[in-house]
Amino acid sequence: MYPQSLQVLIERFRQLPGVGEKTAERYALSVVDMSQEDAEQIVQAIMDVKKKLTYCRTCGNLTEQEECEICADPQRDHKQIFVVQSAKDVLAMEKTGEYHGVYHVLNGLISASKGIMPEDLTIDALVKRGKDASEIILATNTTMDGETTAMYLDKLLTEQCPNVLITRIAHGLPFGGMLDYADEMTLAHALSDRRTMGSKE
Amino acid sequence: MYPQSLQVLIERFRQLPGVGEKTAERYALSVVDMSQEDAEQIVQAIMDVKKKLTYCRTCGNLTEQEECEICADPQRDHKQIFVVQSAKDVLAMEKTGEYHGVYHVLNGLISASKGIMPEDLTIDALVKRGKDASEIILATNTTMDGETTAMYLDKLLTEQCPNVLITRIAHGLPFGGMLDYADEMTLAHALSDRRTMGSKE
């Protein structure tokens, strides 16, 4: 058995997502081998994140201010709202450079199996700000929970924000994807969401 | 781009062995979602490891005392020394319950490519305590560096501790291993280290 303090650190590392016994052991032993300074920097970084980071009061994105950079940017189209599951998705979308509206981060998905209900998410805030929007784009992942959440939001927003266009991001083949590798659901979506090409569009 | 404090934590997590950009991002975001208490426990565990853990003055194993539990145990055979690369190997061997001697942890392997020389390891201490031993078992991994280190130690210990039996752990097929999946080196070792079976032994 490892010394007590090492054993405790292994258990703590196991709380990180997807980390098993062997990986936690490797991480803990790497901390042992680390310089005192490097270890202190990790500790400081964890404490800083807990102290400084908060959720944007408008969209729920992660920020160190009251409002995130995107919501505070007057250049962006504040009437177009892109609804995602988590802050990670905001970053992924921002990397494309293709979107110039604002976001709304649900901080989760409705999930019967995990016991996550609509009231656990930032849906109230979305309905409230959604009333002034021109378009709300539902961009939850195409998983079971993502689809459920999108359907729930579509119904709710159509009722509550009747003058707003509610859209869903397109489903289909990933770029570079091959037909024979795609699953049936993806192919079915790619077919039903097909569009005319080029000059005919 | 993520807020500064989150970006810093992602970079810190990347210092853990085998952690890439995506994994570091997932870990950092899980810290954001963690309760304040859970985050503080990780921080405390890291600080405890850096403060309390040290290397056993006799064998180089990890311990919170001056001497590790194994070296301090009068029941063990202190004349049989099992030489390994790291503290992790001690734990792996202890789990077998088959070994009742003591250990010597080199804290690394001789490696030309990484610039690790014999003087960077605990070899001096091994030679010193080895003089009183009856057997020294070289159990470095069967990698290139592990083999190099074993060969170096064999030569050195044969000279410096002439009355001590120097042995190397057996190489061969892993338990449950299949011939057609084994690499050539393993098969060659398994053949040359073959032994007579049962009553003929």
Side-chain angles (χ1 to χ4, degrees):
Chain A
M1 193 73 166
Y2 283 125
Q4 173 73 3
S5 56
L6 188 60
Q7 200 59 44
V8 169
L9 184 57
I10 291 171
E11 279 153 37
R12 295 292 170 237
F13 274 133
R14 288 207 59 178
Q15 294 174 347
L16 295 176
V19 173
E21 183 71 29
K22 284 274 168 196
T23 305
E25 197 176 297
R26 200 162 67 238
Y27 291 170
L29 287 168
S30 85
V31 170
V32 175
D33 288 338
M34 229 171 241
S35 71
Q36 183 68 26
E37 199 191 340
D38 280 350
E40 278 166 14
Q41 283 184 333
I42 291 186
V43 161
Q44 190 60 50
I46 292 173
M47 294 195 302
D48 276 355
V49 154
K50 296 309 285 183
K51 200 171 62 188
K52 294 183 187 168
L53 264 198
T54 179
Y55 297 104
C56 171
R57 65 174 175 197
T58 307
C59 77
N61 190 14
L62 289 171
T63 178
E64 293 180 3
Q65 267 73 50
E66 282 196 12
E67 204 164 43
C68 76
E69 278 181 30
I70 295 166
C71 284
D73 184 350
Q75 303 286 84
R76 315 258 327 194
D77 178 357
H78 288 255
K79 296 220 169 266
Q80 197 180 30
I81 303 177
F82 194 92
V83 180
V84 293
Q85 174 182 351
S86 78
K88 204 158 41 169
D89 302 323
V90 172
L91 196 77
M93 196 60 193
E94 285 298 286
K95 278 181 185 160
T96 70
E98 295 288 323
Y99 181 67
H100 307 290
V102 293
Y103 294 89
H104 192 85
V105 181
L106 296 170
N107 277 317
L109 291 174
I110 298 169
S111 168
S113 63
K114 292 179 198 148
I116 303 173
M117 296 292 122
E119 53 269 30
D120 298 322
L121 309 177
T122 61
I123 293 176
D124 279 354
L126 174 61
V127 170
K128 212 168 156 195
R129 65 190 287 229
K131 292 188 201 287
D132 296 327
S134 59
E135 182 181 3
I136 300 177
I137 305 164
L138 302 176
T140 49
N141 292 338
T142 60
T143 55
M144 183 80 97
D145 290 344
E147 291 292 332
T148 305
T149 306
M151 279 190 293
Y152 176 88
L153 289 178
D154 182 32
K155 191 161 173 295
L156 182 74
L157 293 168
T158 304
E159 278 170 25
Q160 300 285 318
C161 315
N163 301 319
V164 180
L165 178 67
I166 315 291
T167 61
R168 176 91 173 105
I169 46 162
H171 295 166
L173 284 183
F175 198 77
M178 282 177 286
L179 233 66
D180 55 344
Y181 279 83
D183 65 289
E184 290 160 33
M185 286 293 285
T186 301
L187 275 185
H189 272 297
L191 178 67
S192 67
D193 293 353
R194 71 190 181 279
R195 58 196 188 91
T196 53
M197 288 178 69
S199 59
K200 287 178 201 148
E201 198 171 3
Chain B
M1 193 71 166
Y2 282 125
Q4 173 72 5
S5 57
L6 189 60
Q7 200 60 45
V8 168
L9 184 58
I10 291 170
E11 278 153 37
R12 296 291 169 238
F13 274 132
R14 287 207 59 177
Q15 293 174 348
L16 294 176
V19 174
E21 182 72 28
K22 284 274 169 195
T23 304
E25 197 175 297
R26 201 162 67 236
Y27 291 169
L29 287 169
S30 84
V31 170
V32 174
D33 288 339
M34 228 172 242
S35 71
Q36 183 69 25
E37 199 191 340
D38 282 350
E40 277 166 15
Q41 283 183 332
I42 291 187
V43 161
Q44 191 59 49
I46 292 173
M47 293 195 304
D48 276 355
V49 154
K50 296 310 285 183
K51 200 171 64 187
K52 293 183 186 167
L53 266 197
T54 178
Y55 296 104
C56 170
R57 65 172 175 198
T58 307
C59 76
N61 190 13
L62 289 171
T63 178
E64 293 180 3
Q65 267 72 52
E66 281 196 12
E67 204 164 41
C68 77
E69 278 180 30
I70 295 167
C71 285
D73 184 351
Q75 302 287 82
R76 314 250 341 185
D77 179 358
H78 289 256
K79 296 222 170 264
Q80 197 179 29
I81 304 175
F82 194 91
V83 181
V84 294
Q85 175 184 349
S86 78
K88 203 158 43 170
D89 302 325
V90 172
L91 195 78
M93 196 61 194
E94 285 297 287
K95 277 180 185 159
T96 70
E98 295 288 324
Y99 181 66
H100 308 290
V102 292
Y103 293 89
H104 192 87
V105 181
L106 295 171
N107 277 317
L109 292 174
I110 299 169
S111 169
S113 63
K114 293 179 197 147
I116 303 174
M117 296 290 123
E119 53 269 30
D120 298 323
L121 309 176
T122 60
I123 292 176
D124 280 354
L126 174 60
V127 170
K128 213 168 155 196
R129 65 190 287 229
K131 291 188 201 291
D132 296 327
S134 59
E135 182 181 3
I136 299 177
I137 305 164
L138 302 177
T140 50
N141 292 338
T142 60
T143 55
M144 182 79 97
D145 289 344
E147 292 291 332
T148 306
T149 307
M151 279 192 290
Y152 176 88
L153 289 177
D154 182 33
K155 189 161 175 295
L156 181 74
L157 293 168
T158 304
E159 278 170 24
Q160 300 283 319
C161 315
N163 300 319
V164 180
L165 178 67
I166 314 292
T167 59
R168 177 92 173 105
I169 46 161
H171 296 164
L173 284 184
F175 197 77
M178 283 177 283
L179 234 67
D180 56 343
Y181 278 83
D183 64 289
E184 290 159 32
M185 287 294 284
T186 300
L187 274 184
H189 272 298
L191 177 67
S192 67
D193 293 354
R194 72 188 181 283
R195 58 196 189 90
T196 53
M197 286 177 69
S199 59
K200 288 177 198 147
E201 197 172 5

